[in-house]
Amino acid sequence: MPAASTSRIIRYLLVAGVFIVLLYKVTSSGTSYDPTAWTGRTTGHSYENVGNAVEEVKETVEEKIEDFGMKTPLQPQTPAEPAVQKRANATFVTLARNGDVWEMAKSIREVEDRFNHRYNYPWVFLNDVPFSEEFITVTSGLASGPVHYGVIGHEHWSFPPWLDEQKAEAARKDMEERKIIYGGSKSYRHMCRFESGFFYRHELMQQFEFYWRVEPSIEMFCDVEYDPFLYMKENNKKYAFAISLYEYPDTIPTLWDETKKFIKAKPELVPKDNSMRFISDDDGESYNRCHFWSNFEIASMDLWRGEGYSAFFDHLEKAGGFFYERWGDAPVHSIGAALFLKPEEIHWFGDMGYYHVPFTHCPIGDEFRKKCHCNPRDTFDFKGYSCTRKFLEVQGTELPKGWEKYK
């Protein structure tokens, strides 16, 4: 007989025993049954009513059932405690619109199932307008940890007062005519500016040391069997990514010029042992356009809150390239990480399968087949437009065995 059937039969027999014992207690008490006022004395216990007798017998039976290692329907179900009590001071963070609710539900489920159901880290959701009741109900129901919802201040989601709006409008029109992705979008530019310089300043983020950025519609292909936040903290990692690639040149024509101006103006803020070799092939003379794809990033907010990056963002903000061009937060974050971090402070989560349209990161080793369901032939990591090989070379890290098959 299957174990499940045996367990069910035992459970039914034990529960039936509740009523047999209860009947015995009632009939053997020697007292007439009065449904309005009944006291019975059996084995030294006094009952004010039948309900108390039932509860006591239930407790006895539950203890016996626990001895068999089974659950009983008599027990109230309570949320499970985190399997691992040691956690970092960290959160997931998402910039989302109300209309993203069902795509966001998918992303939460992916992250919770693969990792967070054991750790119960909190989530922070940010929006430039208040979240709808539907968004809050759906997302809070799926998250295993505390959930926070915040509205972005107007000054962080608007044109700066000094901006030439006519010039910005002309730039959008020109880029739209040239069919540059998101070239005509105002909201995309507000998003890039906010993610580059303001998300970590939001009041809801002030309490946290690390964050993991999660976007709508992502997929997580592999079980994450350790805590990436603790890994970052305990190994002195400040920035981590899953996918890297080259930026579209037409979106950032003057970004490197402004970066060089900043380095020249503030050389004392840029450490000599930084990660410049990842973003420049000629010692900083030009930008090779390599960047970490920031829709997945796990990082210490100390990086962005530090004096170096704060001054760098302020310089870029005054240059106006978020609106006069279409500077993305991915190249801005990547240049910032490369300027202010040592190579060993940046980490590639090569064991963490991830998808965001249109690119896939899939671990290629045979050892990952037991915990990852992605096809390694779909991985973007070693294709010609990826910068991950470049990153590993800068780190002095060997490429995964057999990577040549996935070029």
Side-chain angles (χ1 to χ4, degrees):
M1 180 181 295
S5 298
T6 303
S7 179
R8 238 189 332 265
I9 291 171
I10 294 173
R11 187 182 301 116
Y12 292 155
L13 291 173
L14 288 172
V15 173
V18 171
F19 301 101
I20 294 172
V21 175
L22 176 59
L23 180 62
Y24 171 78
K25 285 181 176 286
V26 172
T27 58
S28 65
S29 65
T31 307
S32 299
Y33 175 60
D34 180 350
T36 60
W38 180 83
T39 59
R41 296 190 179 277
T42 58
T43 63
H45 295 287
S46 176
Y47 303 99
E48 295 180 355
N49 52 50
V50 176
N52 287 351
V54 171
E55 288 303 316
E56 180 171 312
V57 178
K58 280 168 58 178
E59 291 174 5
T60 302
V61 174
E62 287 169 4
E63 290 174 3
K64 296 301 181 185
I65 291 176
E66 283 298 314
D67 290 341
F68 283 92
M70 298 185 301
K71 293 290 184 183
T72 168
L74 300 176
Q75 294 173 304
Q77 299 301 306
T78 56
E81 291 295 321
V84 179
Q85 297 297 326
K86 184 180 181 181
R87 300 191 305 174
N89 179 18
T91 185
F92 298 98
V93 63
T94 297
L95 178 63
R97 301 164 296 186
N98 286 316
D100 295 326
V101 58
W102 295 111
E103 294 305 313
M104 196 63 234
K106 174 183 174 182
S107 297
I108 297 171
R109 188 74 275 158
E110 293 278 333
V111 173
E112 291 288 343
D113 289 350
R114 291 300 190 177
F115 165 68
N116 199 44
H117 69 281
R118 295 188 300 276
Y119 292 86
N120 308 151
Y121 278 107
W123 290 75
V124 172
F125 292 98
L126 301 174
N127 195 350
D128 63 310
V129 299
F131 281 107
S132 65
E133 182 178 347
E134 178 187 46
F135 189 98
I136 293 173
T137 300
V138 171
T139 54
S140 62
L142 291 170
S144 64
V147 184
H148 310 279
Y149 300 90
V151 177
I152 299 166
H154 176 73
E155 69 277 12
H156 292 166
W157 198 274
S158 59
F159 295 124
W162 47 261
L163 191 80
D164 184 338
E165 293 191 34
Q166 289 185 335
K167 180 179 177 181
E169 182 179 7
R172 292 195 303 274
K173 184 176 180 180
D174 172 65
M175 295 180 77
E176 187 172 29
E177 289 175 351
R178 290 189 285 141
K179 301 188 183 307
I180 295 173
I181 186 170
Y182 302 119
S185 174
K186 284 194 290 186
S187 63
Y188 189 83
R189 287 171 168 81
H190 288 313
M191 180 276 290
C192 291
R193 174 177 176 253
F194 175 77
E195 294 282 26
S196 295
F198 299 118
F199 85 93
Y200 54 90
R201 306 185 197 190
H202 193 281
E203 60 183 1
L204 291 178
M205 299 296 288
Q206 295 307 303
Q207 60 189 300
F208 300 110
E209 180 183 0
F210 289 91
Y211 71 93
W212 178 338
R213 179 168 161 182
V214 180
E215 300 219 342
S217 302
I218 62 115
E219 290 185 57
M220 299 290 293
F221 296 123
C222 305
D223 291 332
V224 182
E225 298 169 335
Y226 61 97
D227 187 340
F229 293 124
L230 279 180
Y231 175 85
M232 298 281 289
K233 184 175 182 64
E234 293 173 353
N235 291 277
N236 196 34
K237 305 293 185 182
K238 303 296 178 60
Y239 187 89
F241 70 102
I243 293 173
S244 67
L245 67 160
Y246 293 96
E247 180 60 301
Y248 299 110
D250 288 342
T251 66
I252 53 166
T254 67
L255 177 57
W256 193 250
D257 291 336
E258 293 299 332
T259 298
K260 290 199 294 183
K261 290 178 185 178
F262 167 78
I263 295 172
K264 184 176 181 179
K266 301 282 187 179
E268 71 280 4
L269 296 180
V270 182
K272 299 298 183 184
D273 55 349
N274 62 15
S275 301
M276 176 70 79
R277 287 198 301 125
F278 175 66
I279 58 173
S280 177
D281 300 327
D282 50 18
D283 198 29
E285 184 59 30
S286 64
Y287 177 34
N288 63 18
R289 297 185 288 112
C290 277
H291 70 285
F292 308 117
W293 217 23
S294 58
N295 50 67
F296 173 107
E297 60 182 14
I298 303 176
S300 167
M301 280 181 282
D302 289 345
L303 167 60
W304 314 129
R305 293 167 178 160
E307 183 181 5
Y309 185 81
S310 296
F312 178 57
F313 174 77
D314 289 345
H315 178 93
L316 298 184
E317 170 84 335
K318 292 174 184 175
F322 292 106
F323 299 105
Y324 297 147
E325 295 177 9
R326 205 228 65 188
W327 294 351
D329 56 282
V332 171
H333 274 197
S334 301
I335 292 172
L339 289 183
F340 304 112
L341 296 180
K342 301 174 184 178
E344 60 269 24
E345 293 177 312
I346 305 175
H347 182 68
W348 177 47
F349 278 112
D351 60 341
M352 201 179 297
Y354 173 74
Y355 171 79
H356 183 291
V357 62
F359 299 119
T360 293
H361 159 59
C362 182
I364 65 173
D366 291 342
E367 67 272 21
F368 295 107
R369 303 287 67 83
K370 291 184 178 180
K371 67 175 184 176
C372 303
H373 72 268
C374 53
N375 184 345
R377 296 196 176 279
D378 293 334
T379 196
F380 178 70
D381 302 320
F382 309 109
K383 303 292 191 292
Y385 208 67
S386 170
C387 288
T388 299
R389 281 180 60 191
K390 172 76 172 177
F391 172 79
L392 295 176
E393 290 168 1
V394 170
Q395 296 287 89
T397 302
E398 291 186 9
L399 294 171
K401 184 179 179 180
W403 70 270
E404 301 91 342
K405 295 187 297 184
Y406 304 99
K407 289 198 296 183

